Amino acid sequence: MKFTSVMTWLAVLALAFFFTACGRQEEKPATTVEKKPNIVTTVAPITSIVENIAGDKIQLAGIIPEGINSHTFEPIPSDSKLLSSADLIILNGFDLETPTLKLAQANLKTGASIYSLGDKTIKEADYIFDFSFPKEQGHPNPHLWLNPEYAMRYATLVRDELIRLDPKNKAVYEQNAAQFLKKLETLDQAIKEAAQTIPQNNRRLLTYHDSWPYFARRYGFQVIGAVQPSDFADPSPREMVRLIEQIKKAKVPAVFGSEVFPSPVLEQIAREAKSRYIDKLRDDELPGKPGDPQHSYIGMMAENMTIMFEALGGSTEALKKVDPAPVAGAHADYRRKD
Ligand SMILES: [Zn+2]
């Protein structure tokens, strides 16, 4: 073989090696960097439910920041970017997030979908209309998730929707959902048990924000009123007098406000009716900081129940067996919008 042909062969071999190496390099990212579905949710309890079931298999962002009024929340322009990158947008529905829903519809990417949980959880006959959500206005009370039975339904709906979107991780979603459902059952049982320790006469709720009717229906409480009218303004003086009389007559030991809606009006009503005013309930704000075990839907419920049941003269012993931490694998890749 002449020197020139040896050189040619060497060149061919070198090229072959180069392309093989390149080929390998190109394959590598495809197998190791797996593209995760992008899921956008609205209120924190729903984000927490999704997080429990999806674990680290998705990219997750919650649109509605905690500690603000979710009922009047208007998304900011940069939220359209987040919504347009979503493969799936999960909402509560029942007109809770109308501005966010509109922005999501306007920015939905091809092949993506919007999924609302509320209307798939209860039948129309079970919708609750009340003082803050009157039937004439046509928006049912949206706070279904404060009834853990409905949170279980949310969890199974989310599980099935994640499997549809990302079938290769079906086993993970099923396993996480099964564990999470077991935890929700424990929560439900603990609430039932603890509620029984409250004197029957005290199982009455007067709240500022009207979040508790679906909860009340499940655990045998009577909602004697919600102070916040449907336009989120303060109640009229006549309505205040009526509520004070009602609390006095029913001898309710405590009335409840929430951290999101500080209410001097309810505080005044409580004072005049000689009842305690407790402003610590939460309907869509999780306790603790992101990453804390109690910063979860279950953590929020356990804390609410502890505050509410203690104030109404019950024992909270049963609630101590509730473990608020998300199921294994959760918390990873959880992007919280600031
Ligand atoms: Zn609310």
Side-chain angles (χ1 to χ4, degrees):
M1 205 182 275
K2 280 184 198 153
F3 180 69
T4 47
S5 43
V6 170
M7 287 304 284
T8 312
W9 271 109
L10 280 175
V12 168
L13 274 174
L15 269 176
F17 179 74
F18 177 73
F19 281 121
T20 317
C22 283
R24 269 196 209 120
Q25 265 173 7
E26 271 164 24
E27 271 165 27
K28 221 174 165 188
T31 51
T32 52
V33 183
E34 178 191 320
K35 195 174 164 340
K36 295 178 180 180
N38 247 324
I39 318 270
V40 173
T41 53
T42 53
V43 286
I46 293 178
T47 313
S48 173
I49 290 171
V50 174
E51 181 191 32
N52 268 278
I53 295 162
D56 60 358
K57 298 297 175 202
I58 61 166
Q59 291 283 338
L60 178 61
I63 282 265
I64 303 182
E66 293 182 56
I68 71 145
N69 180 356
S70 57
H71 300 264
T72 53
F73 171 76
E74 295 273 350
I76 51 172
S78 65
D79 288 333
S80 61
K81 212 174 129 200
L82 199 59
L83 289 163
S84 65
S85 70
D87 298 300
L88 174 63
I89 298 158
I90 302 179
L91 309 113
N92 181 70
F94 275 25
D95 311 313
L96 175 67
E97 314 104 323
T98 303
T100 306
L101 173 63
K102 282 188 181 149
L103 193 69
Q105 284 163 336
N107 289 281
L108 197 64
K109 83 174 177 193
T110 316
S113 49
I114 300 173
Y115 191 81
S116 62
L117 298 163
D119 55 303
K120 297 172 191 75
T121 296
I122 57 173
K123 295 190 295 288
E124 223 171 309
D126 294 325
Y127 291 8
I128 292 178
F129 294 95
D130 50 23
F131 179 67
S132 303
F133 300 92
K135 195 157 194 173
E136 312 85 79
Q137 291 181 12
H139 311 295
N141 194 309
H143 299 95
L144 300 186
W145 66 89
L146 293 166
N147 174 347
E149 183 194 18
Y150 296 159
M152 288 182 216
R153 176 80 181 135
Y154 277 24
T156 56
L157 289 167
V158 166
R159 175 199 64 199
D160 294 348
E161 196 53 16
L162 288 172
I163 293 171
R164 182 195 62 76
L165 182 72
D166 183 27
K168 69 177 182 308
N169 286 314
K170 181 174 190 258
V172 179
Y173 300 138
E174 279 176 343
Q175 199 187 6
N176 288 346
Q179 273 189 58
F180 185 52
L181 286 167
K182 211 178 274 173
K183 289 174 83 112
L184 290 174
E185 269 161 36
T186 307
L187 172 72
D188 182 47
Q189 278 307 318
I191 297 175
K192 266 188 202 156
E193 215 176 291
Q196 293 306 311
T197 66
I198 301 171
Q200 182 72 51
N201 207 35
N202 290 358
R203 291 180 210 164
R204 295 196 164 107
L205 293 175
L206 177 73
T207 60
Y208 179 70
H209 186 54
D210 187 12
S211 316
W212 299 93
Y214 298 103
F215 163 88
R217 188 161 71 186
R218 179 152 185 83
Y219 301 105
F221 286 75
Q222 185 199 351
V223 176
I224 62 171
V227 176
Q228 189 175 40
S230 53
D231 60 359
F232 297 101
D234 275 332
S236 67
R238 201 209 291 183
E239 178 63 13
M240 279 179 68
V241 170
R242 191 187 69 77
L243 288 167
I244 291 165
E245 287 310 312
Q246 212 177 350
I247 302 168
K248 276 185 177 164
K249 210 169 126 208
K251 297 192 176 68
V252 186
V255 300
F256 301 94
S258 68
E259 292 193 329
V260 177
F261 302 102
S263 171
V265 172
L266 183 56
E267 202 173 349
Q268 193 190 334
I269 292 173
R271 202 169 40 236
E272 289 184 30
K274 302 207 167 21
S275 182
R276 252 173 93 198
Y277 171 63
I278 291 166
D279 65 349
K280 295 278 180 274
L281 296 188
R282 304 149 179 265
D283 66 359
D284 51 21
E285 190 191 5
L286 311 181
K289 301 182 298 298
D292 289 349
Q294 76 272 29
H295 195 78
S296 65
Y297 165 75
I298 293 179
M300 180 186 81
M301 289 307 292
E303 190 168 303
N304 276 328
M305 300 303 83
T306 304
I307 293 166
M308 186 190 282
F309 291 5
E310 240 162 36
L312 297 177
S315 159
T316 54
E317 199 51 42
L319 293 162
K320 292 189 179 135
K321 55 188 174 214
V322 174
D323 169 20
V327 299
H331 277 322
D333 273 340
Y334 182 27
R335 293 185 293 147
R336 192 170 292 269
K337 200 198 78 162
D338 293 317

